[in-house]
Amino acid sequence: MIFLLILLKINWWWVGGGYVLVMIVAYFIQEKLIFKPEKLAADFKFNYEAPFKELFFDVEAGVRINALHFYREKPEGLILYFHGNTRSIKGWAKYAGDFYRYNYDVLLVDYRGFGKSTGKRSEAGMLSDVQFIYETLLKQYPENHLVLYGRSMGSGFAAKLASENNPRYLILDAPYYSFSRVVERFLPFLPVQFVLRFKLRTDRWIKKVKCPVYILHGTKDRLIPIKHSINLQQLNPERITLIRIKGGGHNNLPFFPEYHNFLRNILQY
């Protein structure tokens, strides 16, 4: 009996030690799991049919943010586009046409470590980067001509920016209630509040947004279910319009005519 108790105690020590080890590993490798950047050589040349300029924002020592600026002769405003957690602006630039066609300039930015952008990633640092870019744009555009667009992971950055500034609109494409909630769904056994370094609390920030908010979400999104957007709308119902794209998944909304119809209605209003 005593032997069994000792053996049981040892097993619990092994289980507990293994669990702690998993948490430690998760803490240090989470960036590789969250961010899937495409790196571009410093001399890489972008090539698109629409007129564009390549820009760099020197935020601080060691942090340089790369961006593409698609421009019109007399734009109605500018779309500041924050993309998802993969690739780089080289590929995301194909979506600029969704806004360019309505006579808007479009600025797509790469986060730290994506494309040609440099700098060590942290939530605070990345949020500081987008605020720096926003303030730089204010030197060229009236604030009520700026529209923030956040796609998937980028929705948190767009929401934070809108909560501390006064853009014309905030448009969120397949957003999350909070990044913690997304991770908890896939890793329910981890104490996310202690392990996760990137929490991105869209739920907190969206309450403070003063401009009209439009959320576009597919009803068959398996990665970030539409429930996230439903819950977000409940936090600020007077300002948030939830647009359900019937049958839409997480990565295919631009294939639905309804998506483009809603964008047209929003941007031409």
Side-chain angles (χ1 to χ4, degrees):
M1 184 67 177
I2 295 176
F3 175 77
L4 289 175
L5 290 173
I6 293 173
L7 186 61
L8 185 60
K9 186 175 182 179
I10 292 174
N11 286 338
W12 275 111
W13 273 106
W14 276 105
V15 172
Y19 185 66
V20 171
L21 181 61
V22 169
M23 287 194 294
I24 293 172
V25 171
Y27 182 84
F28 286 105
I29 71 167
Q30 61 185 270
E31 280 196 49
K32 293 186 180 296
L33 300 176
I34 296 171
F35 302 105
K36 304 292 183 181
E38 172 190 31
K39 304 230 180 212
L40 300 177
D43 60 354
F44 177 82
K45 300 296 183 184
F46 295 101
N47 183 28
Y48 305 100
E49 292 184 5
F52 76 96
K53 293 181 289 186
E54 182 180 7
L55 303 178
F56 288 93
F57 296 89
D58 293 305
V59 182
E60 59 186 51
V63 180
R64 198 175 203 213
I65 302 301
N66 187 218
L68 292 176
H69 181 199
F70 293 86
Y71 56 89
R72 307 286 299 200
E73 185 175 344
K74 294 181 180 179
E76 298 292 332
L78 177 133
I79 308 292
L80 178 52
Y81 189 106
F82 298 106
H83 63 68
N85 69 321
T86 63
R87 299 176 292 167
S88 73
I89 52 177
K90 183 187 79 171
W92 288 100
K94 66 183 179 181
Y95 296 111
D98 293 340
F99 312 96
Y100 187 81
R101 71 181 66 174
Y102 300 120
N103 201 38
Y104 276 79
D105 284 3
V106 184
L107 186 78
L108 301 101
V109 300
D110 261 338
Y111 312 115
R112 300 183 183 197
F114 283 71
K116 299 182 185 181
S117 293
T118 63
K120 183 179 179 181
R121 278 189 291 266
S122 70
E123 180 172 333
M126 295 167 77
L127 290 173
S128 175
D129 296 344
V130 300
Q131 181 62 40
F132 180 91
I133 293 168
Y134 189 89
E135 291 174 3
T136 303
L137 291 173
L138 290 178
K139 299 174 184 177
Q140 184 179 351
Y141 297 87
E143 190 166 20
N144 64 355
H145 284 201
L146 296 181
V147 177
L148 304 180
Y149 188 101
R151 157 89 180 112
S152 190
M153 186 186 76
S155 62
F157 297 107
K160 172 65 169 176
L161 205 51
S163 73
E164 297 183 344
N165 299 278
N166 297 288
R168 181 190 296 178
Y169 302 132
L170 170 65
I171 304 175
L172 302 180
D173 174 347
Y176 41 81
Y177 188 81
S178 70
F179 203 65
S180 301
R181 185 172 288 190
V182 176
V183 175
E184 286 171 350
R185 178 168 170 255
F186 292 100
L187 299 171
F189 56 88
L190 281 181
V192 171
Q193 67 272 27
F194 300 114
V195 175
L196 191 64
R197 301 201 308 273
F198 298 87
K199 297 182 172 64
L200 294 171
R201 295 296 303 272
T202 308
D203 58 318
R204 288 183 179 175
W205 301 327
I206 207 161
K207 297 175 185 176
K208 302 176 183 178
V209 175
K210 299 178 286 296
C211 68
V213 181
Y214 299 93
I215 296 179
L216 303 163
H217 213 128
T219 59
K220 291 188 176 181
D221 190 328
R222 305 305 183 200
L223 182 62
I224 303 178
I226 195 171
K227 185 178 179 181
H228 283 255
S229 289
I230 294 172
N231 291 341
L232 285 174
Q233 184 189 35
Q234 292 169 349
L235 297 175
N236 197 348
E238 294 182 0
R239 298 201 181 275
I240 299 174
T241 300
L242 173 57
I243 300 164
R244 296 170 170 84
I245 307 298
K246 188 175 181 181
H250 189 71
N251 295 311
N252 64 354
L253 295 190
F255 292 98
F256 287 79
E258 303 95 310
Y259 170 84
H260 297 284
N261 292 340
F262 283 121
L263 277 187
R264 181 194 64 226
N265 293 341
I266 293 168
L267 297 178
Q268 293 189 331
Y269 176 70

